[in-house]
Amino acid sequence: WGFADNTGKVVIQPQFEKIQDFREGLAAVKTDRLWGFIDNTGKVIIDYQYYQPSPFSCGKSVIDTNNVYIVINKKGEKISTGDYTLMSPFTDGYAFAMKPNASKMVVVDNNFNTLKEIENKRTLPQTEGYRLAYFDNGLCTIGSGTNYKEASGQVVLRPDGNIVLGIGEHCGGYIGQFFSDRAYCYTMLRPEKSYSTGFINPAGEFIFVIEKK
């Protein structure tokens, strides 16, 4: 694998086993079963030494080192203040993480301060049956858990754990992840079975209705 520019011209010759997209000026590339990072000239900036890095975001890459997650900066220096058994990439200045021997996910900020414990397993940053949760403009959608009795479907959280939107017990539905203050939403009222589908704003108001019945 290699890289081409937006005209289709090959600018970094195919030579890698696998690649990731460029993020914040660096791209992760894999050679001889290990990942490193290159710049847009193809120069190796962070040497090949990792098994599974995330693309850079917020100046950080989350690295899976044999089921122990660490965080590095663009110099390849470890900057995380502790090890984690699970961790999502940083978005909007926040990440979901789980520390060794812990039973709950937490929200951490850019300085690795714990902001909130999260009960819900659907926030786990993995792909086996789970959906990656992330923050966008201070909002994150996750599935409801045992601590969210007022919501039977998805809920929208702020980093401090406060619920700002939720699918209540008298209705079903789905709220997607927010992006640029917009999220896809489907709601169905019980027992009337009337529904609306479209896009909502952070206040939960439909700003574009695709279908209503």
Side-chain angles (χ1 to χ4, degrees):
W1 293 90
F3 293 86
D5 63 19
N6 57 7
T7 69
K9 178 183 177 181
V10 175
V11 292
I12 299 176
Q13 292 295 322
Q15 58 191 287
F16 307 108
E17 296 174 15
K18 290 184 178 180
I19 60 175
Q20 297 180 2
D21 292 336
F22 273 90
R23 292 286 188 272
E24 300 185 357
L26 296 176
V29 294
K30 186 178 183 181
T31 297
D32 293 331
R33 297 184 296 176
L34 294 175
W35 291 82
F37 286 87
I38 62 172
D39 64 14
N40 58 12
T41 70
K43 179 182 177 181
V44 176
I45 303 300
I46 300 175
D47 201 12
Y48 302 99
Q49 56 188 300
Y50 302 116
Y51 287 107
Q52 188 59 57
S54 74
F56 273 94
S57 59
C58 302
K60 301 174 177 64
S61 174
V62 178
I63 310 289
D64 180 0
T65 60
N66 196 23
N67 296 319
V68 175
Y69 288 70
I70 64 171
V71 182
I72 63 170
N73 61 19
K74 291 184 178 180
K75 297 179 181 179
E77 301 166 334
K78 179 184 174 182
I79 59 173
S80 47
T81 55
D83 293 329
Y84 302 90
T85 55
L86 285 171
M87 195 170 207
S88 71
F90 278 79
T91 57
D92 207 26
Y94 305 99
F96 288 94
M98 182 178 285
K99 294 184 177 181
N101 302 316
S103 60
K104 299 176 183 178
M105 297 292 290
V106 296
V107 179
V108 297
D109 65 15
N110 264 327
N111 296 317
F112 305 100
N113 298 311
T114 297
L115 302 183
K116 182 68 178 179
E117 289 186 339
I118 303 296
E119 294 281 349
N120 197 310
K121 289 185 177 180
R122 294 192 188 184
T123 61
L124 293 180
Q126 57 188 39
T127 58
E128 292 81 12
Y130 296 102
R131 171 171 60 88
L132 182 65
Y134 63 87
F135 285 95
D136 182 80
N137 287 337
L139 297 173
C140 175
T141 304
I142 65 172
S144 63
T146 56
N147 270 8
Y148 303 131
K149 295 180 180 178
E150 69 274 25
S152 60
Q154 280 74 26
V155 295
V156 180
L157 299 177
R158 294 203 181 277
D160 59 7
N162 287 330
I163 298 173
V164 295
L165 291 174
I167 300 297
E169 61 181 1
H170 298 299
C171 65
Y174 169 82
I175 303 174
Q177 291 286 6
F178 274 86
F179 181 74
S180 297
D181 288 336
R182 304 289 186 269
Y184 175 77
C185 181
Y186 167 82
T187 61
M188 182 179 69
L189 296 178
R190 303 187 184 106
E192 298 90 343
K193 294 186 178 181
S194 61
Y195 66 87
S196 297
T197 181
F199 290 87
I200 61 173
N201 62 20
E205 303 165 333
F206 275 96
I207 56 174
F208 178 73
V209 176
I210 297 175
E211 187 176 8
K212 186 174 183 179
K213 184 175 180 181

